[in-house]
Amino acid sequence: MCWGVFPLAADQPRSQHALKPLSLSKDPLAAAKKKEGASEDAAKEKEGAPEDAGADVLLGPLWSPSGMVIRGTLPSTWAGRQDTTALRTALREDTAGTIHLEGAGPAGPPPALPEPKGAISSPRSGCREQETQRMSGEDNGRDGSASLVWEAVPGMLFQEDKQTRLHPLSLSWVWGYNSSLAVHSLMDGEDRVLLYVSSHTVVIHDVLGNKQYHLQGHTNAISCLCVSEDRRWVATADRGPDALIIVWDSFSGIPVRTIFESHPEDGVSAIAISQDAKYLATISGGTVQRVCVWNWTSPTEKPMCSTELRPEFGYQDYVIFNPQNPYEFVSNSKTQVIFYLWGNAGLQYGAPLLSSKTFNSVVGHFSQSVFHFNTSQALTGTSAGKLVVWDTVSPCTPSKELRVKPHSMKATKLVPMQKDSLTVLMVFESCIVTGDVKGQVKFYNGELRLLTCYSHSQVGPIRSISFSKTPPDPPSASPACSTSCTSSSQPFVARGTLFAALRSTRLSEQTGNGSVCGAGLKLSSDLVRGGAVNMEPLTMVAWRHVKRLFRVSSIAHLFVYTPVTCKRQKLCRCHSSSGLPTQVENGTGSSGFPRRFTRNFILSTSDATVLHVATDRTNFDKVMEEAKKAVNAIACHPRQALIAVGSRCGLLKVWHYQQTKYLVSRIFTEAGIQCLSYDPEGYFLAAGFTDGSIYILDAVSLQSSCKEFKFSRGPVTHISFSHDLEYLATADEKYSVTVYKRVLQNGSKCWEHLAGLRSHYKPIRSILFGVQLDSNKPRLLSLGEDRQLVEYDLNSSSKDHLVVLHRDQVEQVAVPLCLAWYPQLSTESFILTANNCYKMKLYNTTTKMCRKTLLGPTYGSPLEKIQILPTTDTMDPQKRYLAYITKDKVGLQILPVDGNPHKSSAFICHPDGVSDLASSYDGRYVFTAGGQDCTVMKWEVNLKNWKTIFTMHSCAAMVSIHWRPDRCQRIFPWRKFLL
């Protein structure tokens, strides 16, 4: 029996919080057998579990709506703590630490090392049996109090209703991703659900459903991630202060485990998860790297074993476990490959030497390493297009102890595969798969014989390859065919043992006598006649077992391979210029690779492109194409739900942010985009570039509406239109302000250069158009780090002569950072500024006199940019809000500004730095650009409940302090608001 653990109040009896016991079968197959008349002894053997299993509590993070984690607590579906029985059951591990393996028994560690306690089998078997049990109605007495981890099934993230937003800002959508990390495919069939990293957030993206789910918990940018074999458990790690390792359940989105202070000095640079999904291997990111092995299902905060590497080994940035042995893994840098073996004796490693003199050939830099699927060998790809074969070098009759020593691994062969650099190397089922800088994906058998090649002329350097879990439906499959295959009177005969521990089951070949070999499943010869398989309908228990073991949804998927008819394989190299895959080997190879590869896969490239490759239709579908360089410029349309995004690579894209659909794009090859701005009517989109050029584009087609201007002396940093669409002003890195004017020529209006002026001697922080109080004419101001607020006389300016109207010093010691027009909340008009001392100041718009100095938001860094949120006709004009960004956060402030710290809030948006801020025309969304992390985030503004929350916090603050009106009347003039 499994019990949930709730926190009890000190003044309440335990009986008031008692839970119903959950009857959780440790093996759903055993429960099914019991229902079909299996013996009671067998059922008891499977169902036995100690009643105090809930005492073993896993101290994971508490999930909060703000995306943060609280140490020492556990995520749950209730407001408290839960036990780990559901999690351990999902991992196929009972509370006694025994292993559930069917047939061959437990797979122990290497012979020389004793087996650690608590070893478990793959979570795939347990999780799939959970789903099968759930779908067949065998709930074993579970009720609504069960954990979401236990109840979770694939796809449930996008089936849940949108919950009420309690925070002022909530992450709604993310554009862009970290192209240096892998992109994983989570679901099969026609569904395209991707998992990738955007800054400090893990994004689960349903491409066809146009939905996203965000896993938030890291405060630093995620540096590495790994996914279990069954795509359920996702481990992420980051680098920076308070670095974390978080293990997520991708089915429910719950962080089931958080490891604090794993590598407190430098964070994590590489992470891997074992084939049984129980162990994690991490490598720190410091100069002296530390390698640790973790049992993440254990509540301990310390690694099972660890060791330090010498700096001469190079920066180890890749690590992977041996699929056949969770106690062995390998890592590599560009110059050194290291083999590890761990157990009760600790963590041992060996670093075999390899240079160009070893084989008298150029080796190149190492990219990735893998273990061979059939032998004790390991392979490493290099930048010279070669594979290094590592093998155990030992005497003819080696002892068991010598066979497991990592020091015995040496380079035995250097196999030239191609001329292009290898960027990806992986093992999938019975194939060795490579990806290179030319965008080619090649499949080899165990003897490194080329089987199939997929290529496309528009695919860049490959960064990762992720295969679907099950083959797609055969194109020739039909209901009639499916019926004929299951309506035979012949019995289903299974011989041998079904190995639940088998990770990647393969039907290697169909032999002449009609038996299917290589998977532990054999069919009698009278079932196979003429290449067709006839069998009667399987029982529910047997079919669920076969379905789980072979990871298929149809009987036809088990028998899609062609019998071997030729004794000698013929290799025919063909190169496809149309992007279609090229079959280079007929029949099946010696390793049993089928003639036609039946697994779709996802490609991600170094130039931020993700493609879906359908092997049955032999085509490449572009799933995502994002910016491959820094995103520094965003702008929102003033009348429609459109956002323009510009990057340093010259890519300009326009999205409909409510429907999250891509509309139009344009690539500028000459320079990168530095700033963007729509005109007040939404007709034009102005773009400033890194080479000082200015483009004025049509807002719909992105075509140039006039010639290019290049009058700026350096990269353009700011650009803005006047309210009447008569002027356009820019600021550049050379401290100059340039003004363009719209004039009438030949019966039509066009833009021309008016004048420019080097009006500051330090970087310009803001340029701002406004409206004169006594007329409708525009006024222009600029604010620089030289503490000067400069106003220009546009009416008196002429060709090549920009007139300065006023020059005022707004600070004495502090440095002003941003500027905005303060909304008309009183009879007096103000200009709002913020400086690097966390102060906000209000200046009279006419006299430039400082009227009020107040404390601004204090969230680790000063305000970098501020914007007044627009209002709609249905909103109260006296209720205004200010959006702002700091170095790494985005926040909201309730106006009027009065120094009350409870009237502002902020959230981490881009840990590596925020480059730009924009708000929608109706004030419902705020957008942030992340600069070097190449992402743009859409934040939904939720103001419905914020005033209530603010009032509660403010009242609590008043009770906890002594109110001194004589000393606080200028700093806290918000007493009337609370009363």
Side-chain angles (χ1 to χ4, degrees):
M1 309 291 284
C2 177
W3 296 79
V5 180
F6 283 78
L8 299 181
D11 56 345
Q12 294 180 352
R14 180 175 296 270
S15 60
Q16 296 180 7
H17 299 270
L19 290 179
K20 285 186 177 182
L22 303 179
S23 176
L24 303 180
S25 173
K26 295 303 174 182
D27 192 343
L29 284 179
K33 291 180 181 179
K34 181 179 178 180
K35 286 193 173 185
E36 293 191 3
S39 64
E40 295 182 358
D41 295 337
K44 291 180 180 179
E45 181 180 358
K46 297 288 184 179
E47 294 178 355
E51 294 184 357
D52 59 346
D56 185 13
V57 178
L58 179 65
L59 298 180
L62 176 64
W63 180 255
S64 67
S66 61
M68 305 301 293
V69 288
I70 303 175
R71 184 175 180 180
T73 58
L74 179 74
S76 174
T77 57
W78 51 76
R81 307 178 73 179
Q82 69 178 18
D83 63 314
T84 59
T85 307
L87 174 61
R88 294 180 180 273
T89 305
L91 289 172
R92 291 298 315 263
E93 180 184 17
D94 61 18
T95 54
T98 58
I99 306 174
H100 291 282
L101 292 180
E102 303 167 10
L113 299 174
E115 179 182 357
K117 295 181 180 180
I120 63 173
S121 64
S122 168
R124 177 190 299 112
S125 56
C127 297
R128 292 184 181 275
E129 289 172 2
Q130 291 177 37
E131 181 182 354
T132 305
Q133 245 185 354
R134 175 182 170 87
M135 298 302 294
S136 61
E138 301 172 7
D139 54 357
N140 287 330
R142 296 194 299 271
D143 55 16
S145 62
S147 168
L148 276 181
V149 177
W150 170 267
E151 297 290 340
V153 295
M156 68 175 293
L157 290 178
F158 307 107
Q159 298 174 359
E160 298 177 353
D161 295 334
K162 189 175 182 180
Q163 297 181 356
T164 303
R165 307 288 189 178
L166 299 179
H167 292 265
L169 292 174
S170 57
L171 184 60
S172 177
W173 196 268
V174 179
W175 289 279
Y177 72 101
N178 188 347
S179 60
S180 64
L181 299 180
V183 176
H184 296 273
S185 175
L186 293 186
M187 296 188 70
D188 299 321
E190 296 300 327
D191 296 326
R192 298 182 187 178
V193 179
L194 307 180
L195 182 141
Y196 51 84
V197 170
S198 296
S199 187
H200 67 308
T201 303
V202 181
V203 180
I204 300 178
H205 187 184
D206 183 359
V207 178
L208 300 181
N210 198 24
K211 299 178 181 179
Q212 283 187 355
Y213 190 91
H214 306 110
L215 306 181
Q216 297 176 267
H218 290 274
T219 57
N220 306 301
I222 297 175
S223 57
C224 53
L225 82 159
C226 60
V227 180
S228 62
E229 181 69 17
D230 64 346
R231 321 295 168 85
R232 176 163 192 177
W233 313 107
V234 180
T236 57
D238 61 69
R239 298 186 60 183
D242 302 323
L244 299 176
I245 298 174
I246 303 179
V247 181
W248 312 82
D249 177 18
S250 67
F251 291 179
S252 63
I254 294 176
V256 297
R257 182 74 166 94
T258 301
I259 302 176
F260 298 88
E261 299 179 356
S262 57
H263 300 277
E265 298 85 5
D266 306 289
V268 183
S269 65
I271 190 171
I273 189 169
S274 59
Q275 189 80 359
D276 58 9
K278 183 177 180 180
Y279 303 110
L280 294 175
T282 60
I283 303 179
S284 67
T287 304
V288 179
Q289 292 184 289
R290 184 166 173 254
V291 183
C292 299
V293 178
W294 309 80
N295 183 353
W296 66 271
T297 61
S298 172
T300 180
E301 292 287 334
K302 296 182 179 180
M304 301 182 67
C305 53
S306 63
T307 186
E308 289 187 352
L309 303 178
R310 298 197 298 268
E312 54 264 28
F313 290 157
Y315 187 79
Q316 302 286 318
D317 57 359
Y318 184 81
V319 62
I320 189 172
F321 274 93
N322 187 346
Q324 286 80 29
N325 184 6
Y327 305 94
E328 184 179 0
F329 59 95
V330 61
S331 71
N332 68 264
S333 64
K334 292 184 178 181
T335 58
Q336 182 66 60
V337 178
I338 304 178
F339 295 91
Y340 305 84
L341 194 68
W342 67 275
N344 289 345
L347 180 58
Q348 308 174 47
Y349 70 88
L353 298 177
L354 177 63
S355 65
S356 58
K357 297 181 181 179
T358 305
F359 298 103
N360 293 326
S361 179
V362 177
V363 178
H365 289 174
F366 300 137
S367 57
Q368 293 183 0
S369 302
V370 294
F371 288 92
H372 201 284
F373 52 85
N374 278 339
T375 66
S376 61
Q377 296 176 338
L379 306 172
T380 300
T382 72
S383 60
K386 300 177 181 179
L387 285 182
V388 181
V389 181
W390 310 89
D391 204 348
T392 303
V393 178
S394 58
C396 298
T397 58
S399 64
K400 293 183 179 180
E401 183 177 359
L402 288 177
R403 278 205 304 265
V404 299
K405 291 289 185 181
H407 307 283
S408 59
M409 296 294 290
K410 293 185 178 179
T412 59
K413 293 180 181 178
L414 184 63
V415 183
M417 308 299 293
Q418 59 186 44
K419 295 182 179 180
D420 302 317
S421 174
L422 297 177
T423 57
V424 175
L425 178 64
M426 62 182 300
V427 169
F428 182 75
E429 294 189 338
S430 59
C431 297
I432 297 171
V433 186
T434 65
D436 56 34
V437 294
K438 293 294 184 64
Q440 299 179 0
V441 179
K442 297 181 180 180
F443 297 83
Y444 300 87
N445 63 8
E447 299 174 356
L448 299 183
R449 298 176 61 186
L450 185 61
L451 299 172
T452 307
C453 176
Y454 290 84
S455 64
H456 196 283
S457 59
Q458 298 181 356
V459 178
I462 295 177
R463 181 60 188 88
S464 67
I465 304 173
S466 180
F467 290 91
S468 62
K469 293 186 291 184
T470 59
D473 293 332
S476 60
S478 62
C481 178
S482 176
T483 304
S484 64
C485 293
T486 58
S487 61
S488 173
S489 60
Q490 298 293 339
F492 177 79
V493 181
R495 300 177 182 176
T497 306
L498 295 174
F499 296 99
L502 193 59
R503 301 294 181 256
S504 299
T505 305
R506 299 176 299 275
L507 298 179
S508 60
E509 61 180 352
Q510 187 171 346
T511 57
N513 59 1
S515 62
V516 181
C517 306
L521 175 66
K522 296 183 179 180
L523 303 179
S524 58
S525 58
D526 57 347
L527 297 182
V528 183
R529 295 186 179 90
V533 180
N534 299 320
M535 59 181 63
E536 68 176 2
L538 303 178
T539 64
M540 181 62 66
V541 176
W543 168 237
R544 283 201 304 267
H545 203 160
V546 173
K547 180 180 177 181
R548 174 184 59 80
L549 179 63
F550 291 92
R551 305 194 301 277
V552 296
S553 58
S554 173
I555 288 289
H557 292 169
L558 293 175
F559 310 99
V560 296
Y561 306 105
T562 305
V564 177
T565 56
C566 56
K567 297 182 179 179
R568 186 175 182 180
Q569 307 297 338
K570 295 182 180 180
L571 297 178
C572 51
R573 292 184 176 270
C574 301
H575 299 278
S576 173
S577 60
S578 62
L580 301 180
T582 305
Q583 302 289 345
V584 296
E585 182 168 347
N586 299 323
T588 56
S590 59
S591 65
F593 184 86
R595 184 176 184 270
R596 182 178 181 181
F597 194 67
T598 59
R599 295 292 182 96
N600 298 340
F601 54 92
I602 292 291
L603 292 181
S604 68
T605 65
S606 299
D607 54 3
T609 303
V610 179
L611 302 102
H612 177 268
V613 181
T615 57
D616 55 347
R617 297 185 297 272
T618 63
N619 61 344
F620 286 67
D621 294 334
K622 187 175 294 185
V623 178
M624 293 192 306
E625 185 178 11
E626 303 296 341
K628 57 184 176 182
K629 291 186 179 180
V631 177
N632 293 326
I634 54 176
C636 287
H637 196 280
R639 298 180 182 274
Q640 300 180 23
L642 305 178
I643 181 173
V645 180
S647 70
R648 285 288 186 94
C649 64
L651 176 63
L652 175 60
K653 300 182 73 172
V654 177
W655 294 80
H656 192 290
Y657 54 76
Q658 288 184 344
Q659 301 177 2
T660 60
K661 291 183 179 180
Y662 156 75
L663 299 179
V664 64
S665 65
R666 179 177 174 181
I667 297 179
F668 299 87
T669 59
E670 295 81 7
I673 302 174
Q674 186 73 14
C675 55
L676 292 170
S677 178
Y678 280 99
D679 75 273
E681 298 298 328
Y683 299 142
F684 300 103
L685 175 63
F689 289 80
T690 54
D691 62 351
S693 59
I694 299 294
Y695 282 84
I696 301 177
L697 312 172
D698 181 81
V700 177
S701 63
L702 299 185
Q703 299 298 318
S704 298
S705 60
C706 62
K707 64 178 182 179
E708 171 194 0
F709 297 105
K710 197 170 183 179
F711 293 93
S712 298
R713 302 179 181 180
V716 180
T717 57
H718 300 81
I719 191 168
S720 179
F721 284 94
S722 63
H723 75 286
D724 57 359
L725 200 56
E726 291 296 323
Y727 294 95
L728 171 68
T730 65
D732 56 50
E733 291 185 357
K734 298 300 182 180
Y735 323 138
S736 298
V737 174
T738 307
V739 179
Y740 302 85
K741 188 176 182 180
R742 199 177 185 205
V743 296
L744 184 63
Q745 288 184 358
N746 300 327
S748 62
K749 286 190 174 183
C750 61
W751 293 91
E752 70 172 12
H753 174 257
L754 179 62
L757 179 66
R758 192 176 189 270
S759 53
H760 296 269
Y761 62 90
K762 285 188 177 181
I764 298 175
R765 301 294 304 192
S766 298
I767 59 171
L768 192 64
F769 273 103
V771 182
Q772 295 182 9
L773 297 178
D774 55 351
S775 65
N776 196 37
K777 295 183 179 180
R779 58 189 300 193
L780 175 63
L781 297 89
S782 64
L783 179 67
E785 293 184 4
D786 54 4
R787 305 179 181 90
Q788 298 292 318
L789 178 63
V790 181
E791 183 173 0
Y792 305 88
D793 190 351
L794 299 178
N795 293 330
S796 302
S797 299
S798 59
K799 184 66 174 178
D800 298 328
H801 181 66
L802 185 60
V803 178
V804 174
L805 183 61
H806 296 289
R807 185 184 296 269
D808 301 282
Q809 183 172 346
V810 296
E811 296 284 356
Q812 298 297 324
V813 178
V815 177
L817 300 178
C818 48
L819 176 71
W821 293 106
Y822 196 69
Q824 195 76 29
L825 301 179
S826 62
T827 57
E828 189 175 3
S829 300
F830 296 105
I831 299 173
L832 177 66
T833 66
N835 60 31
N836 63 343
C837 295
Y838 300 93
K839 296 295 191 297
M840 304 180 75
K841 292 187 177 183
L842 292 176
Y843 295 88
N844 184 277
T845 57
T846 303
T847 64
K848 308 297 192 307
M849 180 183 296
C850 180
R851 299 287 290 146
K852 191 176 292 187
T853 300
L854 303 161
L855 178 67
T858 55
Y859 294 103
S861 60
L863 304 189
E864 300 285 340
K865 190 173 182 178
I866 56 178
Q867 278 191 7
I868 306 297
L869 286 185
T871 59
T872 58
D873 297 336
T874 59
M875 297 178 61
D876 186 353
Q878 295 298 316
K879 295 181 180 179
R880 302 301 298 272
Y881 301 88
L882 172 73
Y884 61 87
I885 56 174
T886 65
K887 180 181 179 181
D888 58 348
K889 299 177 181 68
V890 60
L892 286 181
Q893 167 92 35
I894 298 178
L895 298 180
V897 291
D898 49 24
N900 183 0
H902 298 290
K903 291 177 64 175
S904 65
S905 64
F907 302 87
I908 297 176
C909 56
H910 302 277
D912 292 336
V914 192
S915 60
D916 203 1
L917 171 71
S919 59
S920 62
Y921 70 96
D922 55 0
R924 294 177 55 191
Y925 300 99
V926 172
F927 302 88
T928 58
Q932 295 298 327
D933 64 15
C934 304
T935 62
V936 174
M937 295 187 177
K938 181 179 77 170
W939 302 83
E940 184 177 355
V941 179
N942 312 294
L943 303 176
K944 184 177 182 180
N945 299 323
W946 193 23
K947 184 177 180 180
T948 303
I949 298 174
F950 152 67
T951 305
M952 294 172 59
H953 281 289
S954 299
C955 293
M958 291 178 59
V959 174
S960 61
I961 64 174
H962 295 286
W963 185 255
R964 298 288 300 276
D966 56 332
R967 302 179 64 179
C968 303
Q969 61 181 358
R970 286 181 58 83
I971 301 178
F972 299 101
W974 37 275
R975 290 175 295 168
K976 295 182 180 180
F977 175 80
L978 295 176
L979 299 176

